Amino acid sequence: QVQLVESGGGSVQAGGSLRLSCAASGLNTRRTCMGWFRQAPGKEREDITTISQYAIETVYSDSMKGRFTLSRDNAKNTLYLEIDILEPEDTAIYYCVATDEWGDCTRPLFEFPHRGQGTQVTVSS
C-alpha cells in the first residue's frame, strides 16, 4: 500500500523559507515520478514541480523558478520542496503526489494515483 506523508508546513512571515517533506512508503522513489501541487482557497489548483524516474525535473510556472527547489533522497524514500522568499500568495495547502512505479509523469499532478493528506503553508505580510 502506497502512503505519502507530508510535513514541514506552518505559518511564516513573508520573506522566510520553508522546507516541505514527503515521506513515501510502499513504492521506490527511484522508479516513481513524484511532485507537488498546491491549492489555495478561491484559486485554481496549481502544479508546481515534478521529478521523473529519470531524475528529470520540471517546474510548471516561470514565476516559481528560482524560489521553489525540488530534491529527492532515494535512500530515505523522501521528496522535498524548499520554498524561499515566501510571499502571501504562496499561502495554500501543498500536496505531494506520486505515480505508480514507471508511471506516466506527463499527466496533470491532480491525476497522479497517489496523494498525501497535504500540509498547510500560511504566509503573512
Side-chain angles (χ1 to χ4, degrees):
Q1 182 179 356
V2 175
Q3 190 172 17
L4 303 175
V5 179
E6 301 102 331
S7 60
S11 297
V12 297
Q13 289 198 325
S17 298
L18 279 175
R19 189 191 196 202
L20 309 182
S21 300
C22 173
S25 58
L27 55 79
N28 187 320
T29 55
R30 289 185 179 87
R31 298 194 288 263
T32 304
C33 178
M34 299 182 71
W36 296 87
F37 74 88
R38 67 184 182 183
Q39 178 73 66
K43 295 184 180 179
E44 289 190 5
R45 188 172 53 245
E46 188 171 23
D47 289 350
I48 300 172
T49 182
T50 55
I51 182 167
S52 76
Q53 299 91 330
Y54 310 99
I56 297 172
E57 295 181 29
T58 302
V59 179
Y60 290 91
S61 170
D62 287 341
S63 66
M64 295 179 179
K65 292 178 181 178
R67 291 201 304 120
F68 289 74
T69 303
L70 184 68
S71 60
R72 183 173 66 188
D73 186 335
N74 291 326
K76 295 182 178 180
N77 244 27
T78 301
L79 185 74
Y80 302 98
L81 180 69
E82 180 163 343
I83 314 171
D84 297 316
I85 317 175
L86 280 156
E87 303 169 352
E89 293 73 24
D90 294 321
T91 295
I93 300 175
Y94 286 72
Y95 294 92
C96 173
V97 294
T99 64
D100 293 317
E101 292 186 2
W102 304 113
D104 181 6
C105 197
T106 63
R107 64 175 70 179
L109 272 62
F110 185 73
E111 296 180 8
F112 279 34
H114 308 293
R115 185 191 313 164
Q117 81 286 354
T119 186
Q120 176 72 48
V121 172
T122 303
V123 185
S124 58
S125 57

